[in-house]
């Protein structure tokens, strides 16, 4: 599939999606959000893809924010529609994807960029990364899930401070806050992401999808995470991956999972 604003490449069961608008610091416009939706959907449906890595092109930015020129003159109803459609099409879509998604944050991840990174299942960052939600400095609030996911990841107080000050934190502070799992040099960022992806892909993709669903349930209103875990745990017993995994363990051999 040909894209104008992103790149997508599959190698060794890892699909790497790169936001490729370096002249705009990889800012998210509607066309890019649409392309990202298609690329994530395609990778998730591809049996060969075991892990997805999302990153930005160049050395300066993962995603420096949303393309403000697209919505500067929007009405109230248009603003609500923008947030609702964006969350459904990309941010919530990524968060609930059954294929694990690693965000490799290179440089600035601001506004919609940080929201995209937070929608991924976990994050690693280069040591030049800067993260923040500066929306209140524009007279608006984060609209792509930032007011919900940031408190879940760093706690309410830290999230409130970051949102209200419109400030940025560096990679090491993000690591201290638990916003990212690891910090590397810029040169090592993608190789390290691929190393983590390699550890993930040798496990059961069916079980990983069930784990994602169970973990997510614990953060959703009206959902009982423990009940979701029980249900997903039970479902695993009816899968070919469970049969292969348990037999491999009992036979003291390496499992060869059928996969998704």
């Amino acid at each position: 599939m040909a894209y104008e604003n992103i790149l997508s490449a599959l190698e060794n069961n890892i699909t790497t999606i790169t936001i490729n608008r370096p002249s705009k610091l990889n800012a998210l416009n509607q066309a890019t959000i649409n392309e990202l939706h298609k690329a994530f959907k395609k990778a998730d449906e591809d049996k060969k893809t075991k892990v997805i890595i999302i990153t930005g092109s160049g050395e300066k930015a993962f995603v420096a924010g949303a393309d403000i020129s697209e919505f500067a003159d929007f009405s109230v109803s248009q603003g609500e529609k923008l947030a609702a459609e964006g969350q459904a099409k990309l941010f919530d879509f990524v968060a609930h994807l059954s294929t694990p998604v690693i965000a490799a944050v290179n440089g600035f991840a601001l506004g919609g960029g940080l929201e995209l990174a937070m929608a991924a299942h976990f994050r690693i960052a280069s040591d030049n990364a800067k993260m923040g939600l500066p929306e209140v400095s524009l007279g608006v609030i984060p609209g792509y899930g930032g007011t919900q996911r940031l408190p879940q990841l760093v706690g309410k107080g830290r999230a409130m401070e970051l949102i209200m000050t419109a400030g940025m934190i560096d990679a090491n502070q993000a690591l201290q806050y638990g916003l990212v799992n690891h910090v590397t040099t810029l040169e090592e960022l993608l190789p390290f992401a691929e190393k983590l992806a390699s550890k993930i892909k040798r496990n059961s993709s069916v079980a990983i999808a069930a784990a994602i669903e169970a973990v997510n349930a614990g953060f959703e209103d009206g959902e009982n995470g423990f009940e979701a875990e029980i249900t997903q745990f039970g479902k695993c017993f009816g899968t070919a991956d469970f049969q292969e995994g348990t037999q491999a363990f009992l036979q003291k051999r390496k499992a060869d999972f059928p996969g998704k």
Side-chain angles (χ1 to χ4, degrees), residues 86-104:
Q87 287 191 30
K89 193 176 290 181
L90 181 59
F91 301 85
D92 286 349
F93 185 76
V94 168
H96 292 91
L97 220 58
S98 59
T99 306
V101 180
I102 303 171

Side-chain angles (χ1 to χ4, degrees):
M1 191 178 291
Y3 300 108
E4 289 184 11
N5 301 293
I6 68 171
L7 305 169
S8 183
L10 170 63
E11 189 174 351
N12 297 325
N13 301 115
I14 302 166
T15 290
T16 302
I17 299 171
T18 306
I19 301 154
N20 189 34
R21 301 183 76 213
S23 64
K24 301 285 187 181
L25 292 178
N26 302 324
L28 291 178
N29 60 2
Q30 291 307 297
T32 305
I33 286 174
N34 288 335
E35 288 189 359
L36 284 168
H37 171 80
K38 290 175 184 174
F40 275 109
K41 188 171 188 290
K42 183 173 183 288
D44 189 48
E45 292 171 351
D46 182 0
K47 289 189 184 335
K48 293 179 182 175
T49 298
K50 305 293 186 186
V51 185
I52 300 168
I53 296 170
I54 176 74
T55 193
S57 64
E59 299 182 353
K60 293 182 179 178
F62 173 73
V63 173
D67 200 328
I68 296 161
S69 63
E70 281 196 333
F71 56 81
D73 59 353
F74 272 19
S75 66
V76 170
S77 61
Q78 286 175 311
E80 284 188 13
K81 185 180 179 185
L82 179 75
E85 289 184 351
Q87 287 191 30
K89 193 176 290 181
L90 181 59
F91 301 85
D92 286 349
F93 185 76
V94 168
H96 292 91
L97 220 58
S98 59
T99 306
V101 180
I102 303 171
V105 179
N106 55 312
F108 290 107
L110 304 175
L114 180 54
E115 288 172 305
L116 178 57
M118 291 192 295
H121 298 125
F122 64 91
R123 292 141 295 285
I124 64 174
S126 58
D127 52 17
N128 70 324
K130 296 277 200 304
M131 293 164 235
L133 295 174
E135 285 87 347
V136 297
S137 69
L138 302 171
V140 70
I141 69 169
Y144 288 145
T147 65
Q148 305 306 300
R149 291 194 176 97
L150 188 61
Q152 289 172 1
L153 290 164
V154 306
K156 183 179 177 182
R158 282 174 171 161
M160 285 287 200
E161 180 183 345
L162 274 169
I163 291 168
M164 288 192 277
T165 61
M168 288 189 294
I169 58 173
D170 63 21
N172 287 322
Q173 199 164 6
L175 180 66
Q176 180 190 333
Y177 280 7
L179 184 53
V180 302
N181 291 18
H182 306 276
V183 175
T184 74
T185 63
L186 188 61
E187 293 74 22
E188 285 298 312
L189 183 66
L190 278 179
F192 186 68
E194 289 161 4
K195 183 179 177 182
L196 288 170
S198 294
K199 290 182 178 180
I200 293 168
K201 73 181 186 181
R202 59 176 175 246
N203 298 314
S204 165
S205 55
V206 174
I208 286 170
I212 290 169
E213 191 161 334
V215 172
N216 280 339
F219 291 92
E220 290 170 10
D221 285 341
E223 291 277 348
N224 184 312
F226 291 99
E227 288 180 4
E229 180 183 283
I230 290 165
T231 300
Q232 293 301 323
F233 179 79
K235 283 182 178 178
C236 288
F237 282 71
T239 67
D241 275 23
F242 175 75
Q243 296 300 319
E244 168 59 17
T246 52
Q247 288 304 306
F249 176 81
L250 293 170
Q251 295 166 14
K252 296 182 171 55
R253 61 176 173 81
K254 187 178 178 182
D256 182 17
F257 292 111
K260 61 181 182 180

